[in-house]
Amino acid sequence: MAESRSNTTTLVVGATGATGRHVVRQLLDQGHTVRAVVRSEQRMIDSLRAISGNKKEEFANLAVTEASFLDLSDDEVLKLVHGCDAVVSCLGHNMTFSGMYGKPRKLVTQAARKLCSAVVKDRTQEPGDEGTEMAPPKPGKFILMGSDGVANPDGGDDTRARSERAVLGMIRALVPPHRDNEAAAALVANEVGTKEESVLEWCVVRPTDLIDGEVSEYELFDKPKGSLFGGGEATRSNVAKCMVELILKDELWAEWKFKMPVLHNRTD
């Protein structure tokens, strides 16, 4: 059985969202340190307490920055990622008219770019004053939440049925958040790249149809399974479990880094 990392620090953005709060909760429950960027610290605390049902629970290993993430300066983001083993983005658009059609239209993509740039800058070490050689830093991990409706930019997914391609085309044209999710996936795949010597490694977790539910077993596939709608289910808590295990289990990370696994609840 693969060993898990101990005493990790993870930055989570989108930490009060339906999936992000589970990522924070599961990391804290296992004794790890979490940094979270949220608009309201109290809302963050309330959401974590709601999961456990303990209205008085305190969170000693949680450090909260109250801000809208895109309002943070590059230097502020750099300070947040410094010392982190991993960065997780569960950002998404609110499913309201203003959330889908108002600004920022490219929330997920712009946040991914700021985070990746900060991690690369933080881990790019310069020689000392006398040109002393320094050991290369351990690559940072960047985990982005996507969906199985977002195709892998490497072209490895199976070609969808014509009807599903038509539906996706309409969604892409009419729903800006879908275009944003596609652009974010393309950003990490094409701009961050897949170089083994990179100081930043990434994984885009693509859950199938999301539902609420308890933590259970899940499966990862290298491409979407079944139809676009109704091809399976994935609980948000299982998506969080996968992300946490990618952070803590180096063997699992080695299997899925630089890839876009599709997550389903295990049904057998």
Side-chain angles (χ1 to χ4, degrees):
M1 181 178 296
E3 293 185 1
S4 295
R5 290 191 184 188
S6 59
N7 302 320
T8 66
T9 299
T10 298
L11 172 64
V12 182
V13 297
T16 54
T19 301
R21 62 179 181 168
H22 286 286
V23 175
V24 174
R25 175 85 232 191
Q26 291 179 30
L27 283 167
L28 292 174
D29 284 348
Q30 296 182 55
H32 298 276
T33 299
V34 177
R35 300 173 186 172
V37 179
V38 296
R39 288 189 175 91
S40 168
E41 181 174 1
Q42 189 57 53
R43 183 184 171 198
M44 171 88 268
I45 299 301
D46 290 343
S47 69
L48 295 176
R49 288 172 175 168
I51 297 174
S52 67
N54 184 347
K55 295 182 179 181
K56 296 183 179 180
E57 186 174 9
E58 300 297 333
F59 304 97
N61 291 342
L62 174 64
V64 176
T65 297
E66 284 190 314
S68 176
F69 181 76
L70 292 185
D71 290 340
L72 294 173
S73 69
D74 291 345
D75 285 342
E76 288 172 321
V77 177
L78 185 61
K79 290 178 181 178
L80 285 169
V81 304
H82 181 70
C84 286
D85 300 279
V87 175
V88 176
S89 177
C90 292
L91 281 171
H93 298 259
N94 292 327
M95 290 297 102
T96 62
F97 185 85
S98 60
M100 290 192 293
Y101 297 101
K103 294 182 179 180
R105 288 285 187 93
K106 297 182 179 180
L107 168 67
V108 180
T109 305
Q110 290 174 343
R113 179 174 284 111
K114 284 175 75 78
L115 290 165
C116 290
S117 296
V119 174
V120 170
K121 185 174 182 180
D122 180 60
R123 278 174 158 73
T124 302
Q125 300 184 27
E126 298 181 358
D129 293 338
E130 314 230 338
T132 305
E133 290 189 6
M134 302 177 68
K138 189 176 183 66
K141 296 179 177 181
F142 177 65
I143 301 172
L144 176 68
M145 182 170 177
S147 78
D148 68 348
V150 173
N152 193 327
D154 73 0
D157 291 351
D158 294 334
T159 302
R160 290 192 178 275
R162 181 179 298 177
S163 60
E164 292 186 354
R165 297 201 303 273
V167 170
L168 283 171
M170 288 189 291
I171 293 173
R172 186 177 298 113
L174 300 174
V175 184
H178 182 74
R179 296 198 299 273
D180 188 20
N181 288 332
E182 289 182 324
L187 169 77
V188 297
N190 298 327
E191 295 187 30
V192 178
T194 59
K195 295 181 180 179
E196 288 298 329
E197 69 275 14
S198 174
V199 296
L200 176 62
E201 299 171 347
W202 58 266
C203 179
V204 181
V205 179
R206 296 186 288 170
T208 189
D209 298 350
L210 282 166
I211 60 172
D212 291 322
E214 299 297 323
V215 175
S216 60
E217 297 301 315
Y218 65 85
E219 295 180 278
L220 294 177
F221 303 95
D222 60 357
K223 61 185 70 175
K225 301 289 182 181
S227 62
L228 180 61
F229 301 105
E233 294 180 334
T235 59
R236 293 174 174 86
S237 56
N238 275 350
V239 178
K241 178 183 178 182
C242 172
M243 291 178 169
V244 169
E245 291 184 340
L246 284 167
I247 295 168
L248 302 181
K249 297 183 178 181
D250 288 340
E251 184 177 332
L252 184 66
W253 182 257
E255 181 180 359
W256 292 107
K257 68 179 180 180
F258 300 130
K259 297 179 182 178
M260 296 178 57
V262 175
L263 186 146
H264 287 239
N265 289 348
R266 186 183 295 276
T267 56
D268 54 11

